[in-house]
Amino acid sequence: MNLAAATNENLAHTSNVLIYSSMAVYTLAFFAHIAEWVFGSRSKVGRTAAALTGQASAGSPVKVQAAQKGGSTAVLERPTIVTRSAAGTRDVPDGPGAAGGTFKGDLWGRIAVALTVVSFAVQAGGVVARAMSVQRAPWGNMYEFSITFSTVAVGAYLILLALRKNVRWIGLLLVTTVLLDLGIATTTLYTDSDQLVPALHSYWLWIHVSTAIICGAVFYLGAVGTLLYLFRDSYENKLAGGGTPGKFASSVLDRLPAAKTLDTFSYRINAAVFPLWTFTIIAGAIWAGDAWGRYWGWDPKEVWSFITWVAYACYLHARATAGWKGRKAAYLALIAFGCWLFNYYGVNIFVTGKHSYAGV
């Protein structure tokens, strides 16, 4: 074995070690997020806003006396508290996210985020080591795609946190999904780094597949927001109808942002990445023209990529139509993400086509 081959083998081993190490740290982050939800409580700000909103909706304006010069007083009306809610149905303040109003709850949340940052760095190191071992883009098969996909998903989440967006409520579901993704990748999808078909030896591998990974990671965050929106919307509807949710439902769903906030978050996420998904399909067609001499051949992967595009286009169109906002549009969003998941797992594993690489 020559020096270059030995170096590549060592890098591949290092990549595997880093991926497994990141799984260990993600597990710690998972338990920290659990502790955050257990010890967190609804914030004082949220309770106060809810009380004041209730007074305003009941037609009882809150008035405050303010001292004026000369000893006289004037009565000032407190400004109306505007909260986010499902349009035209209810006024519900945003919960504090996963962060509770207690110091202990917030402390565990900070620990969870810190552990997630460490996990991301270790996992990213594993992806880079894999790329160095194969001397190409580290997404030539499903194993490499999976470890890169979860890395990008966590990176997108951390970027939103760095931008001071209230998205810490994604953390628990995200870390859980990443652990599942890495578990499947390391036990079922693992492929030796030297398995690469000739058609993949192209600079389009960097362009087409990288954009597909980014789109999938962001679509995933949008799907999480959509799923939680459906739960939170049902919770708010039950409260508005005078019902009493269970203790577990109240303890969890009360901390989430309002249904309207979750709905808006999902819509903006999906709308922002949809043009990139369009570019992904176009880039794939150009690559197919270079590799196979035709731009479109109705290969299963091409068909399901187009179906996914149509599904998200229908969702975005539905959101622009007043009668399809809310739950109906949310169902469309989940169907669209389901199409993306089938395009990745189903087509690659169960359907044979030109995009079936290395047996996976």
Side-chain angles (χ1 to χ4, degrees), residues 1-302:
M1 181 182 298
N2 57 38
L3 180 59
T7 301
N8 291 340
E9 184 176 344
N10 290 334
L11 286 171
H13 176 71
T14 300
S15 173
N16 294 338
V17 171
L18 289 174
I19 294 300
Y20 280 107
S21 298
S22 70
M23 293 176 65
V25 185
Y26 276 126
T27 302
L28 296 177
F30 170 80
F31 286 114
H33 275 297
I34 291 292
E36 179 184 20
W37 284 96
V38 170
F39 293 116
S41 61
R42 184 169 178 178
S43 68
K44 182 178 179 180
V45 173
R47 294 195 302 270
T48 303
L52 293 174
T53 302
Q55 290 179 348
S57 62
S60 303
V62 181
K63 297 185 178 181
V64 180
Q65 286 189 336
Q68 288 184 333
K69 293 182 179 179
S72 60
T73 60
V75 177
L76 304 177
E77 289 192 1
R78 179 169 294 174
T80 303
I81 296 178
V82 179
T83 57
R84 306 173 199 176
S85 63
T89 58
R90 53 187 176 263
D91 291 319
V92 180
D94 283 343
T102 64
F103 173 77
K104 184 179 293 186
D106 189 62
L107 175 62
W108 281 111
R110 293 175 183 275
I111 292 174
V113 172
L115 290 171
T116 303
V117 172
V118 174
S119 306
F120 167 77
V122 175
Q123 185 182 4
V127 174
V128 172
R130 177 79 174 194
M132 294 174 64
S133 70
V134 296
Q135 299 181 1
R136 57 168 170 79
W139 40 76
N141 50 60
M142 286 188 67
Y143 168 73
E144 295 174 356
F145 190 102
S146 294
I147 62 175
T148 307
F149 165 80
S150 54
T151 304
V152 174
V154 176
Y157 164 70
L158 294 178
I159 288 174
L160 291 175
L161 284 178
L163 295 175
R164 299 186 181 277
K165 303 297 182 181
N166 180 23
V167 294
R168 211 160 84 191
W169 44 270
I170 298 178
L172 179 58
L173 283 177
L174 175 63
V175 170
T176 304
T177 305
V178 169
L179 284 172
L180 290 173
D181 175 72
L182 293 179
I184 294 173
T186 54
T187 59
T188 305
L189 302 178
Y190 184 80
T191 305
D192 291 335
S193 58
D194 58 349
Q195 298 185 24
L196 191 64
V197 298
L200 287 179
H201 289 285
S202 171
Y203 62 88
W204 283 105
L205 178 66
W206 290 92
I207 301 173
H208 171 63
V209 184
S210 64
T211 55
I213 292 173
I214 294 172
C215 289
V218 179
F219 280 148
Y220 162 76
L221 295 181
V224 170
T226 301
L227 185 64
L228 293 179
Y229 157 75
L230 291 173
F231 284 107
R232 173 75 188 201
D233 185 65
S234 297
Y235 172 73
E236 292 182 8
N237 281 331
K238 190 168 186 177
L239 290 177
T244 304
K247 184 177 181 181
F248 176 78
S250 297
S251 64
V252 173
L253 297 177
D254 194 43
R255 300 190 188 108
L256 291 175
K260 176 61 177 176
T261 304
L262 292 169
D263 187 39
T264 301
F265 168 81
S266 303
Y267 170 68
R268 289 176 177 175
I269 285 288
N270 290 324
V273 80
F274 180 74
L276 186 61
W277 181 247
T278 304
F279 170 78
T280 300
I281 296 176
I282 295 174
I286 296 174
W287 188 8
D290 290 343
W292 301 317
R294 52 76 172 164
Y295 293 102
W296 192 268
W298 299 105
D299 183 77
K301 177 70 69 172
E302 296 169 349

